[in-house]
Amino acid sequence: MAHIRKANGLIDWLDQRLAVHKLFDVLMVKYWIPKQINFLWAMGVILTTLFAVLFVTGLLLVMYYKPDTALAFDSVNKTIMQEVDYGWLWRHMHGVAASVIFLIIYIHMFTGIYYGSYKRGREMIWVSGMLLFVVFSAEAFSGYMLPWGQMSYWAAQVITNLFGGIPFIGPELVIWIRGDYAVSDPTLTRFFMLHVCLLPIVIISIIAFHFYSLRIPHVNNEISEELDFDLEAEKYMAGDTRNSKVIPFWPGFLSKDFMYICLFMIFFFYLVCFKFEFAMDPINFDPADALKTPPHIYPEWYFLWSYEVLRGFFFDIGGIKAFNIGLAAFGIAQVIFFLLPWLDRSEVVKPAHERPLFFIWFWILLIDMIVLTIYGKLPPTGVNAWVGFYASIVFLLLLLVILPIITIMERKGAK
Amino acid sequence: MREIKIFLIVVIFAGIVYWGVEPYAHSVMKPHVAPANFNFSAEDLNYAKSILAQKEVALNDAKKANDTKRIESAQKELDKAKEDLNQVKTLWDKVAKIDLSKGNVAKGKEFFTENCASCHGLKEDNITSPVADSSAFGVIPPDLSAAGVIFDDKFLAALVINPSVALKVYHKFGDNFPMPPYQDTPEVMDANIANVVAYLKEMGNKFETNEDIAIKKEIETKYQKMANSPEKTALINKDITFAKDKATFIEACGRCHDVKYDNFFTPSKHSDLKTYLGSIPPDLSMMIRSRGEQYLHDFINDTQKLLPGTAMPRVGLTESAQAKVISYIEKVGDSKKEEREKTGIYIMIFFVILSVFAIGWKRSVWSKLH
């Protein structure tokens, strides 16, 4: 056992038993971040903050929520929204944060793509991040069901139905997921379990892994420069803080991020109190009714692009049913981003504006996904259906065909 | 500066997504309607004409497609639209001829007791309805004490002449609406209608005055023990407004709709309402959040415009009565609106101040790093 002496304070007492100084050093003071970064590098900490907001407001909401089809709607809209002190605030914060977190996730993802942060040594950061995206999607979907409004019910009906398209086990799988032949009380109760128990545990574990995956390859920077972190850290610790290309996580990086969080929170609470309809669809304030299909069923905005890929294929091709083609394309869309580090065949790690072909590809991808998002909400009739069809084709081509081709060209041209 | 450029790009793209999935997509999905019009004669004529125009377009399309079946059904619908327009025109022409300012209250009461009192009560004048529950008609016939103040008087005249057309439920009930149309020679009819509307208005004003007094008394009793202060006056005024709004709501909507979040339940039986209207009228507790103020405003004014084919009658409320109804629905369904907007400002101010400190802290840390 280590030698324990009389402590000269609480910190020292803890340090002798838990090595808190060393821990703080490893996690904070001697965790090095590149200096040349812009505000886009604050998205990670903003995401963590939003997750914390979701976690805390979620705990408060669980105290009053009732996962029962007969009680759920009123427990949310009457008890929480009107009777509990500031219940409306927790619910609005929870709903708006759930929506806004996806905006930040997309910004975070596109930042990674633009600066090549998924490449050469950073693949696990990218993959764990994509894993987080998928589990977050499941978390958002299961949470959207809980108020048991019209959109909760019908979105659950449509989405669980998708699993029916999986070969051989589809129909049985749907019943297994729903816990009944149709979406009903057992479905609500199990989605409640997923939303408040299993998925949060999984998310927290993956977040920890995502952070850990940054330790070895380190955070990328604005010019995608490969830094010798040991050398730069030595420079910093020797007192040459101005010329060192790195900063410590604490207080250098976090002081900047704290500033961005504060500015972001002004905007966030504007949304929470004054502009929340984008995150809390009015139709979901009608109680679920299995006999009354709403005229338009659409998912939340952050699922629209993949939803549009799903319904973009609206006619049978070569004897294969439209539903199956759509489902296959949807399946590809869900996993394709995982493969990004390997679909990019070039070794060049540079920001997109220094990779001419990739630069064009990046902006076309972004615009195509915005087109998919907007047309994913519009009724799929007439010309809209065709826009959706071509945008879906473009999406698949961009990732499956064009990206490998242009990056191979880049690699060969670089030689 | 580079950072600002990047920020602007992020804002622009996020803004396009927001615009596309919110205002733009919803404007595509929601039916476009003319704004609420409390001149019901003009409203009904415009609506019938717009339907006629739609059906003409449909017929032309069918002719272009050269589809005999489609042409046939489109022609049928067009004929029906023409018929509807005629019906509406005939009704409102009749109403236009009546001089409502020349009504005689005493004669109106006479007419009421002879013709209306077999179904309708008028408690303000000690007339009780013999129809006590909803089993006979599917809904309890309204007591007309408040009718003269909450309904438009031209609408009331139209209602007496041809109820199912005035209420815009002809498509559902045809000529079998529980309340029969009033028929007589034109001169007798015009005089009688002017008289009965005058009577209803007289009673309505009396009813409102008495009701205001009763509400005021009840609420002052409720706060009796509280010491006088500006807060107390504010509380009393708030409660009085709410009670008045609720009273109007009950008169206008309460015979069919529940508002369970305010513990209000319709005296008509749900099973009777279902037989009568085809489905149980929805609970209105959360309508302000699910439909929004604008929709409610347009919908109550002319139900068919936003929900073609609905069995819900056009209510015929005056603009001020309708405002009270919507105000009640909002106070029940979005009771924390005031608190939300006030708290929102405070939280935002808090983060503005915190941001100032955060910027200062960042600068002091980074002064050694640059």
Side-chain angles (χ1 to χ4, degrees), chain A residues 276-287:
Chain A
F276 40 78
E277 284 203 353
F278 75 99
M280 311 177 81
D281 199 283
I283 295 172
N284 223 21
F285 286 93
D286 275 339

Side-chain angles (χ1 to χ4, degrees), chain A residues 35 74 82 88 241-242 286, chain B residues 261 291 335 339 369-370:
Chain A
K35 192 187 282 175
D74 292 342
Q82 315 214 27
W88 62 266
T241 50
R242 271 169 228 279
D286 275 339
Chain B
Y261 289 0
R291 297 298 186 282
S335 59
E339 182 179 87
L369 300 177
H370 275 309

Side-chain angles (χ1 to χ4, degrees), chain A residues 393-411:
Chain A
I393 297 271
V394 169
F395 176 77
L396 293 175
L397 284 180
L398 277 174
L399 282 150
L400 288 170
V401 181
I402 297 172
L403 180 62
I405 291 177
I406 60 162
T407 45
I408 289 171
M409 282 165 69
E410 187 179 77
R411 189 178 64 197

Side-chain angles (χ1 to χ4, degrees), chain A residues 35 38-39 74 78 81-82 88 92 241-242 252 260 262 273 275-276 282 285-286 298 353 370 377, chain B residues 2-3 6 13 18 21 26 260-261 290-291 332-333 335-336 339-340 344 355 366-370:
Chain A
K35 192 187 282 175
N38 57 47
F39 79 95
D74 292 342
K78 171 81 169 151
M81 292 286 276
Q82 315 214 27
W88 62 266
H92 274 221
T241 50
R242 271 169 228 279
Y260 287 128
C262 291
C273 295
K275 201 98 188 126
F276 40 78
F285 286 93
D286 275 339
Y298 43 81
H353 55 262
I370 290 175
K377 190 145 182 185
Chain B
R2 191 176 174 79
E3 200 133 353
I6 299 171
F13 278 101
Y18 172 76
V21 300
H26 285 287
K260 64 176 174 181
Y261 289 0
S290 73
R291 297 298 186 282
V332 173
S335 59
K336 301 287 181 175
E339 182 179 87
R340 185 173 67 227
S355 295
W366 277 71
S367 65
K368 294 174 210 97
L369 300 177
H370 275 309

Side-chain angles (χ1 to χ4, degrees), chain B residues 167-210:
Chain B
L167 292 165
K168 302 194 92 167
V169 289
Y170 190 81
H171 61 283
K172 172 140 180 84
F173 296 99
D175 294 320
N176 299 319
F177 189 70
M179 174 169 161
Y182 171 51
Q183 279 160 335
D184 215 321
T185 54
E187 300 80 52
V188 180
M189 191 158 110
D190 290 0
N192 277 340
I193 289 175
N195 292 343
V196 80
V197 170
Y199 171 62
L200 289 176
K201 287 191 85 152
E202 171 91 8
M203 286 303 120
N205 287 327
K206 221 172 116 189
F207 172 78
E208 202 177 47
T209 319
N210 288 337

Side-chain angles (χ1 to χ4, degrees), chain A residues 44-105:
Chain A
V45 174
I46 289 183
L47 283 173
T48 317
T49 311
L50 280 174
F51 181 72
V53 166
L54 285 166
F55 195 87
V56 173
T57 53
L59 289 178
L60 296 169
L61 293 174
V62 172
M63 289 190 217
Y64 294 95
Y65 175 74
K66 304 245 189 300
D68 180 315
T69 50
L71 305 169
F73 186 84
D74 292 342
S75 76
V76 173
N77 290 308
K78 171 81 169 151
T79 314
I80 292 174
M81 292 286 276
Q82 315 214 27
E83 292 182 330
V84 174
D85 268 351
Y86 291 101
W88 62 266
L89 180 62
W90 313 130
R91 191 205 176 186
H92 274 221
M93 281 172 75
H94 199 75
V96 172
S99 196
V100 169
I101 205 167
F102 276 91
L103 173 68
I104 309 293
I105 287 176

